[in-house]
Amino acid sequence: MVEVKNLVKSYGNIDAVNNISFTANVGEVLGFLGPNGAGKSTTMNIISGYLSATSGTVTIDGYDIVDEPKEAKKRIGYLPELPPVYQEMTVKKYLNFMYELKKATQPREEHLNEIMKQCGILEISDRIIRNLSKGYRQRVGVAQALVGNPPVIILDEPTVGLDPKQIIEMRTLIKNLGKKHAVIFSSHVLSEVSAVCDRIVVISQGRIVADEATNKFSYMNTEEMKLTLTVEGTSATVISAVSSVDGVTKVRRGDRQSDSVCNYSVEYKKDVDVRKGIFRALAKADCPILQMKDAGMSLEEMFLTLTTPTYQDKGGRD
Amino acid sequence: MFAIYKKELSSYFNSTLGYIIIALYLLFSGFFFWMICFNSGANALADVVNYMLYIVFFLVPLITMKSFADEKHQHTDQALFTAPVGLWEIVLGKYLSALTLYALCNLVFIFYALILMAVTGATIAWGHLLGAIIGIILLGAAMLSLNLLFSSLTEHQIIAAVVGIATGLVFMLYDSIVGAVENFINTLFGGDYQVVVLDKLSVTSHYQNFYKGILSPVDFVFFLSFVVLFLFLTNRVLDRRRWV
């Protein structure tokens, strides 16, 4: 549905967006993840036609955003970083204006009520936007993007400024939208992206450094896997016992929990399951395992690895 | 285009701005009306229009100052420019709504004429008055297009208004400025040179033709091309924004 090809946006000598390509399909929530200033908003502004790219193309449902802007824009609902709401209008008036602006064809009353219900703003529909809290304004912004029921929904950090309950509601809303739309949504909150998205695109300094399905994400790009152990026994015995297991590459002692109980972190080669081996080795050494946990690489660690410049200097992924 | 036109027009009346502009227009025109028609007792409504010319140059920038500057400032332009509407629709919607408000202000002269007829029983020179009204509307239409351009160039409505008023001042004194340039050249080179072309660009002298009752196509074409030129430039400025 959305096809982005070799997108570049330069400001003078600085490339805000550097050769980005990806696709998003209907029935999919695509998470756009990156630190502040990575080029997320710029990319979204280009996809929605607000900015023009220096080079590269964006096509929405086969329509080029530059060559056939009206057809392409008809298919996009966009919530920019700051909700584009008119302060002096009431919520209802504003949505009516957006309905007319987008030349929507759905039965008006029904369609707008449905959207307001979906976004939880039905009870404030007669209030003036100026007097609304940040969270409500954000929701009005989302409602605006849904007017006309476009197949592509682009949301730039939609959960910023919401309280925890609203964040959960917003995530549910996004997830539901993903069933019938192609949703692209950006965030720098990692847990949120992993909870909501089917696919994650990580962008850093204008480049894509990862593009993977969410469930594969935490394991990719790592040669080493990690376990954390909590074991009772002297450290020297434990370390030597675990090190002797086939596939284990590194054992390190972590925090001490009590006199005889310690945490250990174990690194081992990908594709080898060392858990049984560790169990037998420690049983033999008479060191009971109190806890064994697959640490994988957490999304946070993954994110930091991917977005620190040293990783990218090694080539990253284009 | 109609959606934007409607929204703009209603936003004039949902904020105080529209009322302030109308109130100022009524205040000044009412004052001139009283001065000329009652205090001096002259049956010369067209002169009231003539005096309003000085006010129009300062009022017009207030009408358009928010048009694009405030959209940019409030980030609502992102909704406009990502909606399936062309740039021309946006520019024309905004321009026509401003023009509508301005034209509405000028309806007041018709009421003054009716009042004058009712109170003093005077006969109104309708042709003369209507000519002046058409003239002042066209002059305002031209200044509106110029000020719309100023509004598209900045993010702050105050800057747009100040630049607009300063430029308005130049247009108001245009004939004197051209005359001064002429004098300066003539004293410098000691001759009887006349500035050509430049004097044809005076909006006030084109207005004067309407006031005098001359409805010449030249003046219509002048104002129309003025409007088209500055709306085109506004369109270009907005288009350029996407590239920087």
Side-chain angles (χ1 to χ4, degrees):
Chain A
M1 185 52 93
V2 181
E3 209 178 338
V4 177
K5 259 193 206 149
N6 307 326
L7 213 59
V8 177
K9 178 73 177 175
S10 312
Y11 294 106
N13 292 326
I14 301 156
D15 289 338
V17 173
N18 193 350
N19 206 20
I20 278 183
S21 307
F22 64 89
T23 55
N25 302 311
V26 171
E28 181 178 56
V29 180
L30 185 98
F32 223 56
L33 192 61
N36 289 326
K40 292 178 304 223
S41 292
T42 309
T43 309
M44 292 187 145
N45 274 333
I46 294 171
I47 297 173
S48 61
Y50 181 67
L51 291 177
S52 293
T54 309
S55 69
T57 56
V58 175
T59 46
I60 314 288
D61 199 13
Y63 295 101
D64 191 289
I65 192 79
V66 178
D67 297 335
E68 290 167 286
K70 275 192 197 177
E71 285 302 319
K73 285 173 182 175
K74 236 184 233 173
R75 289 161 173 78
I76 302 177
Y78 179 40
L79 169 70
E81 210 169 350
L82 294 165
V85 291
Y86 291 97
Q87 307 281 345
E88 74 278 2
M89 286 188 184
T90 64
V91 172
K92 211 180 219 166
K93 255 195 179 159
Y94 172 65
L95 291 178
N96 267 297
F97 166 62
M98 290 312 292
Y99 178 93
E100 286 169 23
L101 187 69
K102 293 183 173 188
K103 296 167 185 146
T105 48
Q106 291 84 353
R108 189 195 289 239
E109 278 289 307
E110 229 174 281
H111 181 56
L112 293 184
N113 278 335
E114 163 86 35
I115 287 171
M116 286 195 278
K117 211 154 124 200
Q118 238 180 330
C119 299
I121 51 172
L122 200 57
E123 65 277 15
I124 54 147
S125 63
D126 287 322
R127 285 180 58 186
I128 290 171
I129 294 175
R130 184 192 305 282
N131 303 329
L132 296 179
S133 67
K134 173 99 174 67
Y136 272 121
R137 269 185 225 183
Q138 193 75 23
R139 292 206 239 174
V140 174
V142 175
Q144 162 272 129
L146 302 182
V147 170
N149 200 16
V152 178
I153 310 264
I154 302 174
L155 307 168
D156 197 353
E157 306 202 342
T159 54
V160 169
L162 302 184
D163 65 38
K165 185 168 165 275
Q166 292 172 333
I167 288 180
I168 291 168
E169 286 168 3
M170 181 68 77
R171 286 181 193 167
T172 320
L173 175 64
I174 293 172
K175 251 192 159 157
N176 286 334
L177 285 174
K179 287 174 193 159
K180 285 183 186 159
H181 301 81
V183 180
I184 302 176
F185 110 100
S186 80
S187 176
H188 52 249
V189 182
L190 303 146
S191 55
E192 173 170 291
V193 173
S194 63
V196 174
C197 301
D198 305 305
R199 241 175 75 215
I200 301 180
V201 170
V202 182
I203 170 170
S204 172
Q205 300 188 333
R207 285 202 288 177
I208 289 183
V209 288
D211 179 353
E212 296 287 333
T214 307
N215 51 5
K216 285 188 199 156
F217 193 79
S218 61
Y219 296 111
M220 52 156 291
N221 276 321
T222 46
E223 294 300 313
E224 305 278 300
M225 306 292 282
K226 244 194 212 168
L227 275 179
T228 51
L229 291 174
T230 310
V231 187
E232 197 179 321
T234 53
S235 328
T237 337
V238 173
I239 290 175
S240 72
V242 175
S243 305
S244 67
V245 176
D246 239 12
V248 171
T249 53
K250 205 179 191 181
V251 185
R252 240 184 319 179
R253 209 186 72 192
D255 310 330
R256 185 177 283 280
Q257 292 205 334
S258 70
D259 283 347
S260 55
V261 180
C262 246
N263 289 337
Y264 301 87
S265 86
V266 179
E267 284 178 25
Y268 60 97
K269 280 183 200 135
K270 212 175 182 172
D271 312 321
V272 188
D273 194 350
V274 294
R275 287 173 297 184
K276 284 181 201 162
I278 290 174
F279 168 75
R280 291 202 182 102
L282 285 174
K284 215 166 142 193
D286 197 22
C287 298
I289 300 173
L290 304 181
Q291 196 185 44
M292 183 190 295
K293 211 167 94 189
D294 178 9
M297 197 173 186
S298 74
L299 210 53
E300 270 81 5
E301 286 175 282
M302 195 73 236
F303 181 69
L304 285 174
T305 320
L306 289 170
T307 55
T308 38
T310 46
Y311 174 80
Q312 285 165 37
D313 289 345
K314 284 185 210 153
R317 283 161 53 105
D318 274 341
Chain B
M1 185 189 92
F2 191 66
I4 294 168
Y5 174 79
K6 220 172 83 181
K7 178 232 132 203
E8 284 293 305
L9 205 56
S10 75
S11 88
Y12 281 125
F13 296 104
N14 282 337
S15 63
T16 41
L17 185 66
Y19 296 106
I20 288 175
I21 289 163
I22 292 176
L24 285 174
Y25 210 86
L26 290 180
L27 180 74
F28 284 107
S29 62
F31 174 71
F32 294 135
F33 176 51
W34 173 77
M35 279 287 284
I36 294 166
C37 297
F38 287 96
N39 210 21
S40 313
N43 178 10
L45 262 177
D47 286 357
V48 178
V49 178
N50 224 2
Y51 274 99
M52 276 311 284
L53 217 56
Y54 299 104
I55 307 301
V56 163
F57 284 110
F58 299 100
L59 266 185
V60 158
L62 302 186
I63 300 180
T64 52
M65 64 180 182
K66 279 178 95 169
S67 292
F68 286 109
D70 210 41
E71 296 265 4
K72 175 104 178 142
H73 193 67
Q74 309 279 355
H75 299 272
T76 44
D77 60 331
Q78 288 195 301
L80 281 187
F81 296 133
T82 57
V85 289
L87 266 185
W88 271 116
E89 292 179 66
I90 298 172
V91 172
L92 281 180
K94 296 233 170 215
Y95 177 71
L96 291 178
S97 68
L99 188 59
T100 307
L101 177 70
Y102 175 72
L104 277 178
C105 290
N106 283 300
L107 277 184
V108 72
F109 297 118
I110 309 286
F111 288 104
Y112 290 154
L114 297 177
I115 291 170
L116 197 61
M117 273 164 68
V119 175
T120 66
T123 43
I124 306 294
W126 284 107
H128 191 190
L129 176 61
L130 287 178
I133 292 177
I134 293 171
I136 202 169
I137 289 179
L138 284 175
L139 180 133
M143 298 316 288
L144 280 173
S145 68
L146 176 64
N147 280 287
L148 199 65
L149 173 68
F150 292 147
S151 184
S152 73
L153 285 168
T154 171
E155 208 177 305
H156 305 283
Q157 41 176 323
I158 298 300
I159 294 179
V162 169
V163 172
I165 289 170
T167 320
L169 204 62
V170 173
F171 274 102
M172 192 170 91
L173 303 172
Y174 192 87
D175 290 334
S176 321
I177 294 172
V178 171
V181 170
E182 229 169 52
N183 274 338
F184 179 71
I185 292 172
N186 287 337
T187 43
L188 205 63
F189 299 108
D192 191 20
Y193 297 102
Q194 274 201 326
V195 178
V196 287
V197 184
L198 269 185
D199 64 333
K200 298 281 183 292
L201 297 179
S202 160
V203 285
T204 45
S205 69
H206 282 281
Y207 157 79
Q208 286 299 330
N209 286 344
F210 287 98
Y211 168 69
K212 287 175 200 152
I214 309 164
L215 298 183
S216 141
V218 175
D219 303 311
F220 278 107
V221 170
F222 171 78
F223 283 123
L224 190 68
S225 7
F226 195 107
V227 169
V228 171
L229 171 68
F230 285 105
L231 291 187
F232 174 75
L233 289 176
T234 308
N235 182 308
R236 291 296 86 201
V237 166
L238 295 175
D239 190 49
R240 188 177 169 275
R241 265 196 204 165
R242 299 190 303 158
W243 298 95
V244 290

